[in-house]
Amino acid sequence: MDVDDHAEELASTLGVDKAEVKSDLQNLLEYSVPIDEAKQSIRRKHGGGDGGGSSPASKDVADITTEDGNVTVTVRVLTVGRRSIRYQGEEQTIREGELADETGKISYTAWEDFGFEAGDSVTVGNAGVREWDGEPELNLGSSSTVAVETTPVETPYEVGGETDLVDVRAGDRGRTVEVRVLESEERTIDGRNGETLIRSGVVADETGRLPFTDWGARSDLREGADLRFEDVYAREFRGVPQVNLSEFTTVTPLGRDVEVNESAPRMKIGEAVGSGGMFDVEVTGNLLEVRDGSGLIERCPDCGRVLQNGQCRSHGDVEGEDDMRVKAILDDGTGTVTVVLDRELTETLYGGTMEEAMEQAREAMDKEVVADDIRDAVVGREFRVRGNLSVDDYGANLEATEFEETDEDPADRAAALREEVGA
């Protein structure tokens, strides 16, 4: 049964216009809502059972759950971002951001321009609720209404999208950042409209650094430029937030230098992992274990994956390319992270080149001797690690750019720890 058939069935059962039902159904399916859940949501919206009557319930933001069908909320608009997406084969501009009341905040997507701006207090009627990244999100469509409130809605959250880079999270929309461009290059990718020229690189402020992609490939995003980006959104890129500039983003030169901290933010491992991923972060901890798959390895020449018994998960039996790496478990008492060292850092840790390590393995007729030597050198010691942290369902991984043993006295560390916990 296709979407048209589902819409016909629902419209007949509920006694409502098929075109409206089909539009709502396609809207939900576009956001990967399962068909049965999407149909049930539409039934609730039109009072067809399992969700009440035709008038959506008024709710505080904190009380909205993914089980709700449609709701009415009185909120303050925190951010308004615009973005162009391809929907049903056509380009469409959506508005998205966050709404809040005194109980909490919630993200939204508006499929029409309802005319509200950041700072407005509004009552949104008949807003659909969908699940996005495990959390409820409001969906404002043709059946929704927006009325301006004359009394401001009190909320503890700041209005507007002014954000430091360290606070940017994947999923943020309508943000404003002031940055210095550290790295910038143009390249061509295979985009949704064919070959697309983009500009990408790294931006920074005094709180941190993040990768960026400018889908408009603006020439003024040159290295060393100090700029204000208004209306950017953040997506996850290799496990960390990435700043994205759309055609609606405003780029303005700043009349000042953006202070850039050459060091990365220093965080406890538990705090860093809890952030969900960071492009550049520094942690310190004890190295508990060098994991299997460290030392001398072979990679697939096509995709770079580590081979297992000469086999690539994607390309099967291939002629592997030699490489070196370390995967180690770092712990600081607040959490653990898997630290991954590339060939250069591994060679430094090993105290020799990969060719020397391969010669040692040939003489011993065992590749594992290299990993064993590294284990003997590092396990039980404390290290400072800087790099890019990604967090997913399989755990937290820190791709190291710097890795060095600390020179702090153990007795001083123990005294500092006792003082921190009040012992």
Side-chain angles (χ1 to χ4, degrees), residues 117-154:
E117 300 292 342
D120 289 347
S121 293
V122 296
T123 293
V124 181
N126 203 31
V129 181
R130 72 182 186 97
E131 182 176 332
W132 182 253
D133 284 343
E135 299 294 330
E137 177 176 278
L138 297 184
N139 209 27
L140 283 62
S142 58
S143 302
S144 304
T145 60
V146 175
V148 176
E149 295 291 329
T150 56
T151 303
V153 174
E154 296 297 330

Side-chain angles (χ1 to χ4, degrees), residues 248-267:
F248 301 108
T249 301
T250 301
V251 177
T252 308
L254 291 172
R256 63 177 182 84
D257 293 340
V258 174
E259 295 293 330
V260 174
N261 195 339
E262 294 300 324
S263 61
R266 296 181 181 180
M267 304 178 73

Side-chain angles (χ1 to χ4, degrees), residues 43 71 90 95 129 183 241 246 249 264 289 325 354 377 419:
R43 290 190 189 99
V71 297
E90 297 182 358
R95 275 79 178 167
V129 181
E183 302 173 18
S246 74
T249 301
E289 175 190 1
R325 75 169 181 187
M354 184 173 74
E419 182 178 346

